[in-house]
Amino acid sequence: MTILDERGVTDLYAEQSERIRRIIAAQLKPADKHVADDLAQEVWLGFWRTQVRGTDVTCPAALLATMARRRVVDHYRLARVRREVATEDMAVYADGGAR
């Protein structure tokens, strides 16, 4: 399958949306289950962008699953960076320093 038209993506969404959400939810910590829909939406947006760029996709279901797993990894990587920055900021204020 090369490039999907809007209808093709709509059909693919109908077929794969719940599967993609389950892949994401299965990798999330219980406290983070509420973000599964947001991450799934980001996966679909990324898939649509591949189609707009004209990227050849031979197996859309496999690409979506890969994108879903990577999106969860990115979610936790970004959360870790945010915690580190917040901790550093708090240390500055705890020491009485100002920015």
Side-chain angles (χ1 to χ4, degrees):
M1 182 180 294
T2 317
I3 300 170
L4 298 171
D5 59 7
E6 189 171 341
R7 181 181 169 117
V9 173
T10 301
D11 292 345
L12 183 65
Y13 180 83
E15 295 169 8
Q16 297 291 321
S17 62
E18 187 55 35
R19 176 177 166 262
I20 297 306
R21 190 185 179 294
R22 281 194 315 266
I23 289 170
I24 291 170
Q27 295 182 58
L28 291 172
K29 297 174 185 174
D32 294 336
K33 295 289 185 189
H34 64 280
V35 300
D37 289 331
D38 293 339
L39 297 179
Q41 183 178 6
E42 292 174 18
V43 167
W44 284 102
L45 181 60
F47 181 79
W48 182 254
R49 286 181 182 142
T50 66
Q51 295 301 291
V52 169
R53 284 192 303 261
T55 304
D56 186 29
V57 178
T58 55
C59 186
L63 175 61
L64 285 164
T66 300
M67 292 172 77
R69 286 188 292 274
R70 288 180 179 170
R71 187 63 200 104
V72 173
V73 170
D74 292 344
H75 167 73
Y76 284 118
R77 189 175 293 142
L78 182 59
R80 186 184 75 226
V81 169
R82 286 180 180 153
R83 277 192 308 274
E84 290 171 0
V85 169
T87 303
E88 290 171 4
D89 289 346
M90 292 306 292
V92 168
Y93 292 114
D95 292 339
R99 288 189 159 194

